[in-house]
Amino acid sequence: MTTLLFGGDYNPEQWPREVWAEDMTLMRRAGVNTVTVGVFSWASLEPREGEYDAGWLDDVVGMLHDAGIGFFLATPTASPPPWFTRAHPDAMPVRPDGTRLTHGSRDTYAISAPAYRDAARRIARFLAERYGDHPGLRGWHVHNEYGTIDHGPHAEAAFQRWLQRRFGSVEALNDAWYTAFWSQRYDAWDQVTPPRTTQYLANPAHAVDFKRFCSDEMLAAFTEQKDEILAAGSTAPVTTNFMLPTWNHLDQWAWSDRLDLVSVDHYLDTPGPDGEAHVAYGADLTRSWAGGPWLLMEQSASGIRDGARLAHKDTDRMIRNSLGYVARGSQGSLFFQWRASAGGSEAWHSALVPHAGPDSEGFAGTVELGALLGRLEEVAEPPADGRVVDADVAVLWDADGWWSLETPHLPHDGLDYATEVRATHRALWRAGVAVDFVRSGADVARYRVLFVPSLMATDAATVTWLTQYVAGGGHLVVGRFTGVADEHQRVVAGGYPGLLRDLLGVRVTELRPLADDETRRLNDGATCDQWTERVHLTGARAVATYTDGELAGLPAVTRRDDGPGVAADGATRLVQESLDRFVAGLLAEHGVQAVVPAAVGTGLEAVRRRGAHGSYLFLLHHGDRPLRVTGPGHDLVTGAATDGGITVRAGGVAVVRETAGSDGPAPHWLLEPA
Ligand code: GLA
């Protein structure tokens, strides 16, 4: 039977062999069944160019296997050793200002440098030939968090080749990039460089195309390693770990198509309650990229970086967070890292075995989580159709959308893609409903509401896709400043949002962002900030108008519903509480129910995961008062039947195998104070 994976990054090369033996004992005590080895081990595996020393790794994987612990084997290519730097100084990354980085940290490589690519392929092949059929191998973890951007000569040559493929002619590039402005017109491919530090504002189309190139270039580097692994005959699944929440160097949809298993590293950005919404966001995104089960490759054990400090994360929260990922399709809960380093750059990062050793609250938490995940084993087996979560609403996720909003000199510097998308997801999370993310062009007919919180630059195919969704009876909700430009960041003239004017039935003649201390009120009681637009109705009707400011009486939120579906436009930014109400209203209109309606607002998060053996209701109690939960099922955490009610303590969890099947009507759950 498939199991839930539990463990984390294991870096035995940092420790003497006596510690390895203790590690095996402690891993067994904690129920660890999976570790990731070799992530940054290049210097230990290939101490000199072409000279390999893998005896220590043979011993490590042998000990793990004897202890019944599986392993992901990483290719160590995120951290080239000093000999590589010395031998290939041209393969070091260059910053936009021309600074060439040197060895001394990690990720010091230029992704397009032939010497780096060759060395990466060689070490991948060496590992694949040596360990490709090891019985303990659970999968390949290629590289680590691709995302090092190089602006040097190798990147320049590769970028020029990429541009030639994309545009075909320099004239087409000039047209797309609007180079007539400021005399940027190119006459030959070799005049085009990566975007580098320049005198004033850089060209936005140039910036976004370079982002697209970097994602493609890193994917090519990944694919070369994957090909080496396959050529060596290994059949273990291949993954690489994406990074959330701030890493935006990859088009994750395109990458996910090439991964056998989608995995992610997720570090919360706040120790406050919003961290719980953040878990849900990261997990929903990754499940959606994967199109089914996925794996949480890293999270932190007991620390959350919070500005200047490392805030403490207690065991209850670590467990709730872990189950928040599993509830949304993760096949386990892995951590960075197993044993806290005694030195080096991340000595103060938390770990499953803290500096204090096994006699500590932290390790007790590790043991508690391991035991708990062991009791949930049956959850891991996905249903035949692979759909682990059923959602009626979807949110568009688009890497280009993020890259566009990073270009300089937009009408408001506060436009931030992840903030916009997270605000919408947060409102849905607070409403207690399941959410999928989708890519442009996906089959969205089954979703009752489709949100496009932000997509400044939009291509024609996306416009057609959205139009078809509405024509098919869907309810589309579009956020401000969406559809105003084409895929080359060129503004569509004639009124905003140029490409979506017809679909939305509005024509905007002025963007009127607000000052930081300004807000506006709407006639439905909502408050908005940062952004207003002068909207003319050309087929839509107003659903909310401004009651104050220069635009008083004019539409702020509109809806076109003269066809089979609805196309709604928010020409402002609702503050979170107002957005929450707006979203809750839409859900009610479409009869989209919370997973457990009685739980909304109580602090109890309810998520339903579908499995081969039925459906599982995950109850994660973030609130501070115990609750009595009653419904048909059996709590896998305590073994208790839930029909007569169970108490979920403040901070605690329950995972109920529901009596009704995963495809029948959702069972009814009652909630009351305990
Ligand atoms: C990333 C890396 C790890 C480690 C952690 C620390 O996710 O993959 O190697 O550096 O961050 O937060």
Side-chain angles (χ1 to χ4, degrees):
M1 182 194 253
T2 321
T3 53
L4 290 176
L5 307 186
F6 175 51
D9 277 29
Y10 179 41
N11 299 300
E13 67 269 38
Q14 295 177 24
W15 302 96
R17 283 179 180 251
E18 311 82 82
V19 177
W20 302 359
E22 190 196 34
D23 285 333
M24 298 307 127
T25 308
L26 295 181
M27 284 181 193
R28 287 176 65 92
R29 192 185 303 164
V32 164
N33 56 26
T34 306
V35 295
T36 304
V37 287
V39 179
F40 298 111
S41 307
W42 201 340
S44 310
L45 289 167
E46 190 181 359
R48 280 162 296 280
E49 185 152 16
E51 275 181 42
Y52 298 100
D53 173 12
W56 66 272
L57 187 54
D58 295 348
D59 294 347
V60 168
V61 297
M63 288 171 78
L64 287 166
H65 189 56
D66 290 347
I69 298 164
F71 63 93
F72 280 92
L73 182 54
T75 63
T77 51
S79 208
W83 61 253
F84 179 82
T85 317
R86 286 288 183 188
H88 307 286
D90 65 298
M92 293 299 102
V94 176
R95 290 227 163 106
D97 69 357
T99 309
R100 190 180 282 284
L101 303 183
T102 56
H103 190 84
S105 180
R106 65 178 183 192
D107 293 292
T108 43
Y109 57 84
I111 193 75
S112 309
Y116 170 72
R117 294 278 275 270
D118 288 349
R121 273 201 310 267
R122 279 198 309 270
I123 188 81
R125 182 63 174 250
F126 169 78
L127 291 171
E129 281 174 355
R130 194 169 181 113
Y131 302 104
D133 57 1
H134 195 286
L137 181 67
R138 288 205 192 277
W140 291 98
H141 173 300
V142 169
H143 200 84
N144 191 68
E145 296 177 346
Y146 276 99
T148 302
I149 304 301
D150 170 44
H151 297 77
H154 292 301
E156 179 172 313
F159 186 39
Q160 288 168 359
R161 288 193 295 273
W162 185 90
L163 289 169
Q164 287 179 45
R165 284 196 301 276
R166 176 166 173 75
F167 292 111
S169 71
V170 182
E171 291 70 42
L173 176 144
N174 280 314
D175 181 46
W177 287 12
Y178 209 78
T179 56
F181 193 65
W182 284 351
S183 195
Q184 290 179 353
R185 190 182 165 279
Y186 295 99
D187 197 36
W189 293 111
D190 64 7
Q191 295 170 354
V192 189
T193 67
R196 296 192 177 126
T197 307
T198 187
Q199 206 291 120
Y200 184 44
L201 303 172
N203 181 313
H206 184 184
V208 172
D209 268 334
F210 186 65
K211 288 277 195 181
R212 291 169 174 148
F213 154 73
C214 288
S215 177
D216 287 354
E217 184 73 357
M218 291 186 277
L219 182 53
F222 162 83
T223 305
E224 282 170 13
Q225 290 200 37
K226 183 175 178 184
D227 287 347
E228 294 293 340
I229 290 167
L230 297 178
S234 181
T235 53
V238 180
T239 187
T240 185
N241 46 347
F242 294 157
M243 173 67 169
L244 287 168
T246 52
W247 225 227
N248 76 335
H249 307 299
L250 310 181
D251 173 356
Q252 295 94 345
W253 295 115
W255 278 69
S256 297
D257 291 343
R258 303 266 192 98
L259 302 178
D260 302 326
L261 165 70
V262 173
S263 66
V264 79
D265 302 343
H266 195 203
Y267 291 92
L268 302 191
D269 54 4
T270 169
D274 198 46
E276 316 299 353
H278 196 193
V279 168
Y281 168 77
D284 284 335
L285 255 180
T286 317
R287 182 194 66 255
S288 303
W289 292 331
W294 56 281
L295 182 62
L296 179 72
M297 190 62 89
E298 288 181 26
Q299 64 169 324
S300 76
S302 60
I304 299 176
R305 268 280 158 206
D306 179 33
R309 72 174 174 143
L310 180 63
H312 186 71
K313 188 204 269 188
D314 63 24
T315 293
D316 274 356
R317 185 164 194 176
M318 190 258 286
I319 288 176
R320 289 200 312 278
N321 289 173
S322 295
L323 294 196
Y325 298 112
V326 172
R328 293 178 173 82
S330 177
Q331 293 300 83
S333 179
L334 304 182
F335 291 78
F336 178 83
Q337 58 179 330
W338 163 248
R339 185 183 278 275
S341 300
S345 307
E346 291 192 327
W348 301 107
H349 198 281
S350 67
L352 292 172
V353 183
H355 288 144
D359 182 14
S360 62
E361 296 81 358
F363 188 68
T366 301
V367 173
E368 192 179 335
L369 175 60
L372 177 57
L373 291 173
R375 293 199 287 277
L376 304 185
E377 197 177 63
E378 65 174 77
V379 167
E381 190 127 0
D385 64 10
R387 204 168 71 236
V388 276
V389 171
D390 250 336
D392 292 327
V393 297
V395 178
L396 177 72
W397 171 269
D398 190 282
D400 275 11
W402 195 334
W403 297 335
S404 297
L405 286 196
E406 287 186 333
T407 59
H409 224 54
L410 298 177
H412 196 294
D413 287 348
L415 287 163
D416 178 73
Y417 186 73
T419 305
E420 305 282 319
V421 176
R422 275 178 73 178
T424 297
H425 184 271
R426 187 181 290 114
L428 292 163
W429 180 77
R430 289 180 179 176
V433 301
V435 186
D436 281 343
F437 286 93
V438 291
R439 76 212 282 183
S440 173
D443 180 3
V444 281
R446 60 186 291 264
Y447 298 109
R448 289 188 241 175
V449 188
L450 171 61
F451 293 88
V452 181
S454 172
L455 193 64
M456 174 191 145
T458 310
D459 60 13
T462 299
V463 175
T464 306
W465 172 65
L466 294 174
T467 306
Q468 282 169 353
Y469 173 68
V470 174
H475 190 139
L476 171 70
V477 182
V478 171
R480 63 183 173 145
F481 205 53
T482 288
V484 298
D486 70 8
E487 71 267 36
H488 303 299
Q489 327 303 311
R490 295 178 301 198
V491 176
V492 179
Y496 315 113
L499 289 163
L500 296 177
R501 259 187 337 242
D502 286 347
L503 178 60
L504 297 173
V506 295
R507 179 166 175 267
V508 174
T509 49
E510 293 169 358
L511 304 177
R512 302 175 70 127
L514 300 176
D516 285 351
D517 57 354
E518 283 185 303
T519 56
R520 295 287 183 266
R521 303 281 297 180
L522 305 186
N523 66 344
D524 62 358
T527 303
C528 48
D529 67 1
Q530 204 185 70
W531 193 269
T532 63
E533 298 177 359
R534 182 184 290 277
V535 176
H536 300 265
L537 301 174
T538 56
R541 60 190 174 84
V543 291
T545 55
Y546 297 103
T547 59
D548 55 4
E550 308 85 342
L551 300 178
L554 296 180
V557 182
T558 64
R559 163 186 284 225
R560 176 168 206 165
D561 51 7
D562 54 352
V566 179
D569 185 38
T572 182
R573 181 171 86 164
L574 297 177
V575 301
Q576 186 74 51
E577 283 62 36
S578 297
L579 180 62
D580 293 352
R581 256 191 296 127
F582 174 75
V583 166
L586 284 176
L587 298 174
E589 179 182 340
H590 289 281
V592 178
Q593 291 258 322
V595 173
V596 174
V600 177
T602 64
L604 187 80
E605 178 179 2
V607 189
R608 182 170 284 120
R609 173 169 169 154
R610 300 173 72 239
H613 309 285
S615 72
Y616 301 91
L617 185 67
F618 283 67
L619 300 168
L620 316 175
H621 194 7
H622 312 303
D624 52 15
R625 294 197 185 164
L627 288 168
R628 188 102 192 128
V629 184
T630 309
H634 182 91
D635 178 14
L636 301 178
V637 176
T638 58
T642 53
D643 306 70
I646 54 165
T647 297
V648 185
R649 68 174 173 83
V653 297
V655 180
V656 182
R657 189 206 299 125
E658 295 176 300
T659 301
S662 62
D663 283 322
H668 186 63
W669 289 88
L670 288 172
L671 225 73
E672 56 200 334

